[in-house]
Amino acid sequence: MNTENQSIHNSYRRLTVSDVCDMLMGVKIADIMVHLSPDPDAVGSAFALRGIMEKLGCDVRVICADEASETLGFLTQGVKISAPPRDEASLITVDVASPDQLGHLWEVASGRIMLMLDHHGTGQQFADGIIEPKAAATGEIIYKIAREFLRRGVVDSLPKQVYTSMYAAISADTGSFRHSSTTPETHRIAAELLEMGADARLCARKIHEEKPLSMIKAQMVAIDNIMMTEDGKFAAAVVSREKREAAGLAYADFSDISDLMRSISGVLVGASIRESDTESKWRVSMRSIEPVDCSKICARFGGGGHKQAAGCMIMADNAASAYEMIRSSVMDEIKNCEASLAANGGDFRNVK
């Protein structure tokens, strides 16, 4: 979605946790919106915030332009989230870096969003809120909000499911605490969540170990549709809607393919490029190794994310065109990184 003509400006406020808690105290009806193809950080953070706000007496839902994957059922508890916002609801976005990530919901949400809570380093602020790039996951921000409400005595306790949701958000976005975004603060928060009753084993099993058969089949389709540069530095699984439907698979079944591409030896940037249910509209999910910044690449197409994990939407007539559009930008970034490393007497072989 092109947001160039939307009324977005740079006068939105950066808020503190205390500011956010003050705002939430007065909300009676709310819809919490998350990004397209919602991941565990988005879903876990949103449902944790939902649990907190319910304790405040708020009528609150989590909504999205897409339905959450069945693999996230342990967080959604069977609640369907594909729905438009209510006219009377205060709107809050969680883990949304830019308007494009709201999909078609932006058309009705633009100008109505009271609060955004996000941790991505690149994107576009579109409402007052907290944007904390040093946080390993949006779940860390939600935890600080919960802790402030508990400190104030506004709520005396929270359900263990809320703590599990926050832990799931953090565990997922840190790759089970393996990614470079993991900080000492991340570990401290995770420890406190465990002390409060978060089910770490459940999160590990559901996020990092289990996959439905359809996602395993999606990996097979992805492998059959790999496009790769001659030097082996960029690999992408490019899957058209036609090929996906011929395999009897859903769009969501390909949600973790970018990690698979990045795991190929020698690859610096791995991506999944999958056509959505809208013809010629492709979702790009990208993973990289340091110091390649895939958020910069995706920002060129109106997307964003983290240095080593980002995404965007592009328009292309076919798979080859979609791949070439992304390949050109990826290789430009890789060349820039190679030049920077060489200037300092290093190369990618020395990168951890």
Side-chain angles (χ1 to χ4, degrees):
M1 182 182 297
N2 187 343
T3 60
E4 291 180 358
N5 297 321
Q6 300 283 1
S7 56
I8 303 174
H9 49 81
N10 296 319
S11 62
Y12 295 113
R13 297 178 297 154
R14 293 292 182 99
L15 304 176
T16 65
V17 169
S18 182
D19 292 332
V20 168
C21 290
D22 289 342
M23 291 175 66
L24 295 180
M25 286 287 291
V27 177
K28 299 303 180 186
I29 303 174
D31 284 336
I32 301 170
M33 300 188 295
V34 297
H35 58 70
L36 294 164
S37 301
D39 60 7
D41 188 21
V43 174
S45 296
F47 274 87
L49 182 60
R50 174 178 179 256
I52 295 167
M53 295 181 70
E54 285 180 336
K55 289 287 284 188
L56 298 174
C58 183
D59 172 9
V60 57
R61 302 184 308 166
V62 175
I63 63 173
C64 184
D66 292 331
E67 190 52 69
S69 167
E70 291 183 9
T71 61
L72 300 180
F74 76 107
L75 297 175
T76 64
Q77 301 293 295
V79 175
K80 298 297 183 182
I81 66 174
S82 178
R86 294 171 288 184
D87 292 339
E88 69 276 21
S90 297
L91 302 186
I92 300 167
T93 64
V94 168
D95 203 43
V96 180
S98 63
D100 281 353
Q101 293 188 328
L102 288 172
H104 65 79
L105 294 187
W106 174 250
E107 298 172 7
V108 292
S110 178
R112 289 185 53 197
I113 299 168
M114 65 167 284
L115 177 65
M116 68 178 291
L117 303 171
D118 186 46
H119 76 123
H120 296 94
T122 60
Q124 189 170 25
Q125 187 171 359
F126 50 83
D128 294 345
I130 295 176
I131 301 175
E132 193 175 329
K134 291 183 180 180
T138 300
E140 290 190 15
I141 299 171
I142 305 302
Y143 172 74
K144 292 175 183 178
I145 293 170
R147 185 172 59 189
E148 175 63 12
F149 277 127
L150 289 166
R151 185 195 67 80
R152 292 184 183 188
V154 176
V155 296
D156 56 1
S157 65
L158 291 168
K160 288 185 178 180
Q161 177 64 25
V162 170
Y163 297 123
T164 295
S165 294
M166 287 186 272
Y167 188 92
I170 295 168
S171 177
D173 252 31
T174 59
S176 192
F177 306 95
R178 293 179 292 115
H179 296 339
S180 60
S181 59
T182 306
T183 66
E185 176 73 356
T186 303
H187 284 293
R188 282 190 286 269
I189 290 173
E192 290 176 18
L193 288 170
L194 291 176
E195 290 172 349
M196 293 172 178
D199 190 337
R201 181 65 199 128
L202 174 67
C203 294
R205 188 173 76 248
K206 293 296 185 180
I207 296 172
H208 304 293
E209 297 172 6
E210 288 186 2
K211 284 184 175 66
L213 180 59
S214 59
M215 292 185 76
I216 301 300
K217 290 180 177 179
Q219 290 184 352
M220 296 169 60
V221 174
I223 291 169
D224 284 341
N225 288 278
I226 292 177
M227 295 186 181
M228 198 168 186
T229 54
E230 290 185 7
D231 58 12
K233 295 176 181 177
F234 174 53
V238 189
V239 181
S240 67
R241 183 179 62 170
E242 180 181 5
K243 288 186 177 180
R244 169 169 56 83
E245 291 178 346
L249 298 172
Y251 179 76
D253 290 328
F254 293 82
S255 60
D256 65 350
I257 296 301
S258 55
D259 291 308
L260 180 67
M261 296 298 102
R262 170 58 196 89
S263 69
I264 299 171
S265 179
V267 168
L268 303 180
V269 178
S272 68
I273 306 174
R274 48 184 168 143
E275 189 174 16
S276 70
D277 290 332
T278 301
E279 186 177 0
S280 300
K281 189 173 185 178
W282 302 72
R283 171 72 180 176
V284 180
S285 295
M286 197 175 295
R287 301 291 184 269
S288 68
I289 70 164
E290 294 186 17
V292 181
D293 189 343
C294 57
S295 69
K296 287 184 179 179
I297 301 167
C298 292
R300 299 181 189 181
F301 301 97
H306 309 289
K307 289 185 69 174
Q308 272 68 66
C312 62
M313 300 293 293
I314 61 173
M315 300 299 295
D317 292 335
N318 51 53
S321 297
Y323 170 76
E324 180 56 32
M325 189 182 302
I326 297 302
R327 184 206 63 80
S328 178
S329 293
V330 167
M331 296 313 294
D332 284 345
E333 174 64 15
I334 289 176
K335 288 177 183 177
N336 289 337
C337 288
E338 288 175 331
S340 178
L341 287 169
N344 292 286
D347 57 35
F348 278 105
R349 289 173 297 180
N350 303 122
V351 175
K352 294 181 181 180

